[in-house]
Amino acid sequence: MHRIVAITGASSGLGLAFVKHYAAQPSTRIFALDISPLPDAVSSLENVSYYEVDVMSEESFKGVLEALTNLPIHILIHSAGVRGLAPPTSSHQDVAALEALAATTHATFTRTFEINTWGALLTIRTLIPHLQLASTPDSSHPDPPKVIVMSSRMGSVSANTSGGGYAYRASKAALNAVAKSLSVDVPGVVVLALHPGRVETGLVEWKDEGAMSVEESLGTCLMVIEGVGLRDTGRFLNRFGAVIGW
């Protein structure tokens, strides 16, 4: 039987990198979910199926749920998200300024929460029955099903020494809480919050100075994803597998 991997935020950044990686693996089928279409070179791959999904809309999952009828999901990578920036007021491309106390607005804050936190919960809750179908490992798929939530060290309260980033930090801290609760409420499924590092993912419209490439992050993230088991459910790890404080 094919291993089935579902990936949100699949059209760009780390999500797209995960799609490309898993699409190149033998006996693997990809369900790629995003509000934007996949690049042509990826959408044309025989083992990749794209579904237009808005993670904030339960109705938009209808198509992928029909395609998944009676099928298990072995790995769900939730990579969809936004940075939480206020609209730029000048041509000065300063991420910190757009996330500062004075720049934070109700609209920015609530939109970031809706996408990063509610969108993750809705996505995972919708797909839990298909993850549970894979919860009895067999010789072809010995690992338990896994939910990998792309979190961020910025969601760690204990690691916050620089301030700022109000909407993004708060949404990721809440996302970590969601992942922890899911790890308790859905036994038999590994639920992991993973910090992929500071990655050039396209969440901002200009180059984020000092950020690593998606390829650099991908390699280490994959080692963590493939290595975790039920003993790790509910943990918050970085891309090297080290625990991050809440």
Side-chain angles (χ1 to χ4, degrees), residues 40-72:
D40 291 342
V42 177
S43 63
S44 61
L45 297 174
E46 290 186 1
N47 61 337
V48 175
S49 300
Y50 165 73
Y51 296 89
E52 182 179 342
V53 169
D54 176 353
V55 297
M56 293 189 294
S57 167
E58 191 167 4
E59 178 65 22
S60 76
F61 285 89
K62 182 178 180 180
V64 68
L65 288 175
E66 290 176 351
L68 279 167
T69 300
N70 297 324
L71 292 177

Side-chain angles (χ1 to χ4, degrees), residues 3-246:
R3 176 170 66 166
I4 295 178
V5 181
I7 301 169
T8 68
S11 294
S12 62
L14 266 176
L16 180 57
F18 281 119
V19 171
K20 291 177 178 177
H21 168 79
Y22 283 108
Q25 306 308 303
S27 301
T28 302
R29 181 177 176 186
I30 314 301
F31 284 76
L33 283 54
D34 204 309
I35 200 167
S36 301
L38 294 174
D40 291 342
V42 177
S43 63
S44 61
L45 297 174
E46 290 186 1
N47 61 337
V48 175
S49 300
Y50 165 73
Y51 296 89
E52 182 179 342
V53 169
D54 176 353
V55 297
M56 293 189 294
S57 167
E58 191 167 4
E59 178 65 22
S60 76
F61 285 89
K62 182 178 180 180
V64 68
L65 288 175
E66 290 176 351
L68 279 167
T69 300
N70 297 324
L71 292 177
I73 293 175
H74 300 94
I75 301 176
L76 167 60
I77 298 177
H78 183 71
S79 188
V82 294
R83 183 59 190 263
L85 306 179
T89 56
S90 71
S91 60
H92 185 54
Q93 297 168 342
D94 183 349
V95 171
L98 299 178
E99 294 183 306
L101 178 59
T104 302
T105 66
H106 178 262
T108 298
F109 202 86
T110 54
R111 177 177 179 271
T112 306
F113 255 83
E114 286 176 352
I115 296 174
N116 289 356
T117 309
W118 167 246
L121 176 57
L122 176 60
T123 298
I124 298 166
R125 186 178 68 183
T126 300
L127 298 178
I128 279 173
H130 298 278
L131 289 153
Q132 290 174 323
L133 287 175
S135 63
T136 303
D138 57 32
S139 58
S140 59
H141 299 293
D143 291 336
K146 300 173 183 180
V147 176
I148 310 298
V149 179
M150 287 296 124
S151 186
S152 171
R153 188 183 297 275
M154 288 185 71
S156 167
V157 176
S158 61
N160 183 359
T161 59
S162 59
Y166 289 89
Y168 189 69
R169 285 188 187 279
S171 71
K172 290 296 187 178
L175 176 61
N176 290 344
V178 165
K180 183 65 176 181
S181 286
L182 286 167
S183 74
V184 175
D185 293 338
V186 191
V189 176
V190 178
V191 183
L192 183 75
L194 180 61
H195 168 56
R198 186 181 170 195
V199 185
E200 184 66 42
T201 61
L203 288 181
V204 295
E205 296 178 359
W206 54 86
K207 181 173 176 55
D208 190 2
E209 293 299 330
M212 73 185 78
S213 69
V214 292
E215 291 78 16
E216 183 179 354
S217 174
L218 179 70
T220 49
C221 286
L222 287 169
M223 288 191 289
V224 174
I225 293 169
E226 296 300 328
V228 294
L230 286 172
R231 67 189 180 280
D232 303 298
T233 193
R235 302 177 82 187
F236 181 20
L237 303 180
N238 69 15
R239 67 190 182 96
F240 301 108
V243 173
I244 300 175
W246 299 112

